[in-house]
Amino acid sequence: MLRAARSASQWSSVALTGLMQDDFQLTLAQVLRRARTFPEAGGIVTLTEDGPERASFVEVAARVDRLARVLATLGVQRGERVATFAWNSQRHFECYLAIPCVGAVLHTVNIRLFSEQIAYVLNHAEDRLVFVDDSLVPLLAQIAPDLSHVEHFIVMGDGPTDGLPNALRYEDLLEAAHDGPYEYPLLDEREAASLCYTSGTTGDPKGVLYSHRSTTLHALAILGADLVGLRSADRALIVVPMFHVNAWGLPFGAALTSATLVLPGRFIQAEPLARLIESERCTVMAAVPTIYMDLLRYADEHKPPLSTLKMAVCGGAAMPISLARAFEERHGVNLVHGWGMTETSPVLAMSSPSTELDDETRWQLRAKQGRPAPLVDLRLVGEDGKEVPWDGSTSGEVEVRGPWVASGYYKEADSSDNFDDGWLRTGDIANVDQLGYVQITDRSKDLIKSGGEWISSVALENELMGHEAVREAAVIAVPDERWGERPLACVVLADGGKVSGEDLREYLCSRVAKWWLPERFMFVDALPKTSVGKFDKKALRARLADGTLGEIAGRSAL
Ligand code: AMP
């Protein structure tokens, strides 16, 4: 009798709804609420020309309210995009909360893009306002006439505003806005909170549109001990730019847990960073490998005390294990390898192997990109479209899905090339070992990552092939000690064409950003092609590796 009753309820098809407050929206309003809750905990330190400036989160939250009022006065509507063009600072953080909390979309623009791309993303996003650091005004002034939607530039700082039409001053606006709590709209957690563009392999940059829900869940996740493990006692030096994937979500995570944010402004050279670590007793740091390489060189020479740092997140590009060893052995700093993408908010995996493991095994695992974060589903897909096993040697393209993974690109009707049955194709080729550690071995996307920033090989090829002496050009990444990767241009000359690498660099100078210019050129008779006639970069890389491609001409390093 009893058995029969049990099996009937087991097979009942009526779902039982949980009795929890599931209508509680996961929005950045919760982050703002936390920021103003604990008067004694956390805050922001910003390095400026005049030294560090400090504010508690309670003070910051009051300024966020004023900024919200300014946005309303300027007529910013729900869902409208508002851009920032700025270094890491308290004011930038205020934009991080005020813009999404009034229901608008924070669009963080990468200041390292070259002017045409900056104009492209501002026009594509249809930004109505741009918040800009005074030190960056000249950069923006160059393209101001090309911006079709911008109504006002709001300058953060006291420097000149020359060249910016309708410029307003951030501090003047805040001062004029009256004090007191602002009535924020009730937002749905699925509404867009922020927007960040990433380099497309071909064509223009593509927008990743984060929701309040994805951002809040991601911020919560990185507080986990196997990821960044931020706590209220931490003082986190955020060198990764706030224009790059919300500075890896760390500003939101810090506000959520009342940790202190230490923001270096535009002073991201090794010396000011080392001084900040010492004077602010930073316990956590986040930066790309190139920053750590500079810091290591400086630290080896000047021996600043860095050992307050218990966790230094190193991501955005592969972390050389020699770098982590040097930091640990010579300076007592624990570098932790992280991997992610703009499309994934960004954290996908971090490598924090158990301290119980023997030293050698730990180092091997620390060199890998790490185990997938909680709530991130990950699979490897082989060239035949079939899933490959996690055996530590078979590689495939990594595909991911999860609550902070993009499902498409902003204003792009068809993103299907980047997705596979609901999974995001990362373009990273990896194997996964039996413990679940991902090791990236290659990249299928046609891009070069130099110092943590992208160079489009396709854009370089197109420019090179515009030169009359060049018939064909294929650009591939080659390893570089300082920058991680640099472009190598393989060039087939046109009949009778005569040109040197130096000539081509000069030719490219006015066409691409300076840091894109290849230092290395190789003149070849022919380029390998795929069956459909595209440059076969895989074959090109293999021929480069086995020495059958030829001699590289040009400087060996920057
Ligand atoms: P982005 O969207 O600019 O953040 O670039 C994301 C891409 O950078 C990834 O898909 C990888 O190709 C590369 N990347 C990021 N972190 C790492 C890492 N730890 N190791 C190797 N490649 C990385």
Side-chain angles (χ1 to χ4, degrees):
M1 207 37 213
L2 189 59
R3 187 172 298 156
R6 257 197 204 143
S7 61
S9 82
Q10 249 170 17
W11 294 105
S12 153
S13 60
V14 181
L16 184 60
T17 303
L19 281 173
M20 303 309 283
Q21 299 182 5
D22 290 335
D23 55 354
F24 187 94
Q25 300 298 295
L26 300 175
T27 69
L28 294 176
Q30 310 308 333
V31 177
L32 179 56
R33 191 167 308 146
R34 287 283 294 188
R36 64 168 99 248
T37 302
F38 306 109
E40 87 298 355
I44 303 186
V45 180
T46 307
L47 186 58
T48 71
E49 286 79 1
D50 306 321
E53 274 176 9
R54 294 164 203 284
S56 69
F57 274 135
V58 173
E59 288 163 333
V60 171
R63 284 170 57 87
V64 170
D65 289 347
R66 281 177 176 259
L67 182 54
R69 210 162 268 123
V70 168
L71 294 169
T73 311
L74 292 173
V76 171
Q77 302 292 316
R78 194 99 162 229
E80 276 184 342
R81 277 74 56 209
V82 173
T84 59
F85 195 70
W87 297 102
N88 295 6
S89 71
Q90 180 189 324
R91 290 177 181 133
H92 201 170
F93 179 82
E94 289 161 2
C95 295
Y96 258 49
L97 286 182
I99 296 168
C101 287
V102 300
V105 180
L106 165 81
H107 172 202
T108 52
V109 179
N110 185 340
I111 63 170
R112 302 218 174 90
L113 297 178
F114 63 102
S115 351
E116 284 83 356
Q117 285 178 321
I118 296 171
Y120 172 84
V121 298
L122 286 164
N123 286 333
H124 188 266
E126 301 175 55
D127 294 296
R128 276 189 57 194
L129 304 177
V130 184
F131 286 82
V132 51
D133 274 345
D134 54 4
S135 63
L136 299 170
V137 164
L139 255 177
L140 215 49
Q142 284 173 26
I143 54 160
D146 306 327
L147 304 179
S148 28
H149 300 272
V150 178
E151 287 166 20
H152 291 288
F153 294 92
I154 300 170
V155 179
M156 304 192 280
D158 305 325
T161 63
D162 301 352
L164 291 186
N166 297 333
L168 302 167
R169 291 249 184 228
Y170 188 88
E171 290 303 330
D172 292 349
L173 292 172
L174 251 63
E175 206 177 314
H178 67 86
D179 223 349
Y182 178 78
E183 199 154 318
Y184 291 93
L186 278 177
L187 303 175
D188 186 296
E189 62 182 21
R190 288 183 171 74
E191 281 181 59
S194 66
L195 174 66
C196 184
Y197 282 77
T198 184
S199 298
T201 34
T202 51
D204 295 311
K206 298 188 215 177
V208 179
L209 191 59
Y210 310 102
S211 64
H212 279 266
R213 177 186 153 84
S214 70
T215 312
T216 310
L217 282 172
H218 177 271
L220 191 64
I222 60 173
L223 300 183
D226 273 343
L227 299 181
V228 184
L230 263 190
R231 307 178 54 191
S232 59
D234 279 319
R235 304 174 62 81
L237 173 61
I238 311 298
V239 188
V240 55
M242 288 171 74
F243 55 74
H244 186 204
V245 214
N246 294 329
W248 298 348
L250 289 159
F252 295 127
L256 209 48
T257 194
S258 311
T260 299
L261 279 169
V262 181
L263 304 175
R266 59 191 170 85
F267 305 101
I268 56 169
Q269 306 74 16
E271 188 182 343
L273 290 181
R275 278 209 243 116
L276 258 186
I277 294 167
E278 181 180 357
S279 62
E280 298 302 323
R281 302 177 324 285
C282 296
T283 54
V284 173
M285 174 170 170
V288 294
T290 342
I291 296 278
Y292 285 111
M293 284 175 199
D294 287 350
L295 185 61
L296 179 65
R297 256 192 300 275
Y298 179 85
D300 282 348
E301 195 177 334
H302 300 276
K303 311 273 182 297
L306 300 180
S307 59
T308 49
L309 282 178
K310 64 178 170 53
M311 165 78 160
V313 185
C314 180
M319 175 187 81
I321 199 63
S322 54
L323 183 70
R325 275 189 193 266
F327 261 108
E328 183 153 314
E329 285 160 12
R330 304 210 282 269
H331 303 283
V333 174
N334 176 28
L335 247 63
V336 176
H337 197 180
W339 162 63
M341 334 167 47
T342 307
E343 287 87 337
T344 63
S345 299
V347 176
L348 284 173
M350 285 186 68
S351 190
S352 306
S354 156
T355 43
E356 314 261 285
L357 294 167
D358 67 87
D359 242 26
E360 212 30 61
T361 315
R362 273 192 81 229
W363 278 114
Q364 277 168 16
L365 293 176
R366 287 180 60 182
K368 299 189 180 191
Q369 275 70 17
R371 271 201 302 217
L375 303 188
V376 168
D377 275 0
L378 183 147
R379 69 180 183 188
L380 295 176
V381 176
E383 277 178 12
D384 57 1
K386 295 207 178 91
E387 227 179 301
V388 303
W390 289 15
D391 59 8
S393 59
T394 317
S395 57
E397 182 176 355
V398 184
E399 297 188 348
V400 290
R401 58 178 191 191
W404 53 83
V405 176
S407 62
Y409 292 100
Y410 181 52
K411 290 208 278 191
E412 216 168 273
D414 183 14
S415 308
S416 55
D417 273 4
N418 300 87
F419 294 88
D420 174 11
D421 197 22
W423 294 71
L424 171 79
R425 300 180 57 188
T426 64
D428 289 323
I429 310 293
N431 63 61
V432 181
D433 65 22
Q434 277 140 355
L435 299 176
Y437 282 78
V438 177
Q439 178 164 40
I440 296 181
T441 51
D442 200 357
R443 190 185 297 138
S444 63
K445 48 195 172 195
D446 207 355
L447 288 165
I448 296 151
K449 199 146 211 199
S450 179
E453 297 283 341
W454 291 117
I455 295 176
S456 163
S457 39
V458 177
L460 275 177
E461 286 158 8
N462 289 343
E463 294 296 348
L464 283 167
M465 288 190 283
H467 190 287
E468 57 185 12
V470 174
R471 182 194 299 153
E472 286 179 341
V475 178
I476 53 174
V478 287
D480 183 273
E481 208 175 296
R482 176 156 162 68
W483 300 105
E485 291 175 4
R486 289 295 300 156
L488 160 70
C490 303
V491 176
V492 181
L493 290 179
D495 292 339
K498 244 185 136 192
V499 73
S500 68
E502 267 315 306
D503 298 338
L504 289 176
R505 270 174 69 86
E506 190 147 344
Y507 167 80
L508 288 173
C509 250
S510 59
R511 293 172 165 80
V512 299
K514 200 157 167 256
W515 60 275
W516 279 33
L517 294 177
E519 299 74 30
R520 304 164 179 92
F521 288 83
M522 189 174 260
F523 293 91
V524 293
D525 294 335
L527 288 167
K529 308 254 173 59
T530 65
S531 56
V532 290
K534 291 188 191 174
F535 296 134
D536 188 344
K537 302 269 175 97
K538 213 166 148 192
L540 204 56
R541 283 198 292 264
R543 284 177 53 186
L544 182 70
D546 68 19
T548 54
L549 195 58
E551 285 272 300
I552 299 180
R555 312 172 197 178
S556 57
L558 266 186

